[in-house]
Amino acid sequence: MLSILQAAGWPIIPLVLCSIVALALVVERFLSLRQARVAPITLVDEVLTVARTSVPPADTIDKLAANSILGLVLAQGLRAVAADNRISEANLRTAVEAAGRDAVHRMEAYLNALGTIASAAPLMGLLGTVIGMIEIFGSTSTGGGATGANPADLAHGISVALYNTAFGLIVAIPSLMFYRHFRAKVESYTLAMEQASERLVQHLLRLTSTRR
């Protein structure tokens, strides 16, 4: 690996740093976007069971908020009703939607950085290619033509060009694939949260209507 880095020259250093950052972001997103941490499958049914006849106490709502990102959204709806048991449908939906926007923002954390790396890595590889070509032409001009060029300089310029092109694609392709994967996952979770929130809102509206 060290010999490859030496052959590729200094332009590959930014690409190596990008690959390290991209790997860290992929691992972090895999851990953060697990089903149990975002939207547990049975959570909304459990919440509806607990809140079947009344809004649960504050400590139960706090535990729900700490459960997952979906739990935070559902907890916001319960807190809105607990604060005003005659809350209007518009205000209740506003509170839940605000929590939903925050939830989406949390799920999308670092995805823009990963997408930027996927877009920039090929350009950085192209930069290394251009630098390698410059070194090749520089060696031929100082050597008095292609036949008089220093073979070592030619080999170094070619290696810089090819290694940087290849490494730029090696970094960009997986980064783009994971970026698209996480985007699709966030969209799926967002839809699940919208459906769960709608079920809770309808249930809470029925609870508040019985108190009027």
Side-chain angles (χ1 to χ4, degrees):
M1 185 65 182
L2 182 60
S3 62
I4 293 176
L5 295 178
Q6 291 173 343
W10 66 264
I12 206 171
I13 295 177
L15 283 171
V16 173
L17 296 177
C18 284
S19 68
I20 295 173
V21 173
L23 179 60
L25 293 178
V26 168
V27 172
E28 191 278 336
R29 286 293 85 190
F30 260 121
L31 296 176
S32 298
L33 293 179
R34 289 176 296 166
Q35 182 92 42
R37 295 192 62 176
V38 178
I41 298 175
T42 61
L43 182 61
V44 63
D45 293 324
E46 294 172 359
V47 171
L48 293 177
T49 299
V50 172
R52 184 176 63 250
T53 57
S54 63
V55 176
D59 59 339
T60 302
I61 297 177
D62 292 339
K63 290 179 181 178
L64 173 62
N67 176 271
S68 59
I69 296 179
L70 174 59
L72 188 63
V73 176
L74 301 180
Q76 188 61 32
L78 294 173
R79 284 170 178 157
V81 174
D84 181 7
N85 58 14
R86 297 179 180 272
I87 189 171
S88 65
E89 179 178 354
N91 290 338
L92 177 57
R93 290 188 180 276
T94 298
V96 174
E97 287 172 1
R101 287 192 294 270
D102 180 64
V104 173
H105 180 72
R106 292 189 181 204
M107 290 189 293
E108 290 180 343
Y110 307 121
L111 288 188
N112 284 338
L114 187 59
T116 300
I117 291 174
S119 301
L123 298 178
M124 297 169 70
L126 179 61
L127 175 62
T129 303
V130 172
I131 292 173
M133 298 300 293
I134 291 173
E135 291 187 5
I136 292 174
F137 286 113
S139 65
T140 56
S141 62
T142 57
T147 57
N150 187 338
D153 292 338
L154 282 175
H156 178 69
I158 293 172
S159 65
V160 169
L162 296 180
Y163 275 125
N164 279 275
T165 301
F167 204 79
L169 295 176
I170 290 172
V171 174
I173 293 172
S175 298
L176 180 60
M177 292 174 64
F178 282 115
Y179 172 78
R180 294 295 186 186
H181 169 72
F182 291 136
R183 275 290 177 191
K185 214 167 189 179
V186 168
E187 291 177 2
S188 175
Y189 283 142
T190 301
L191 178 60
M193 287 184 183
E194 289 176 354
Q195 294 172 342
S197 299
E198 182 61 25
R199 289 181 62 188
L200 179 68
V201 166
Q202 294 298 328
H203 176 74
L204 293 177
L205 289 175
R206 286 193 294 269
L207 279 182
T208 56
S209 65
T210 60
R211 299 176 183 178
R212 295 172 183 170

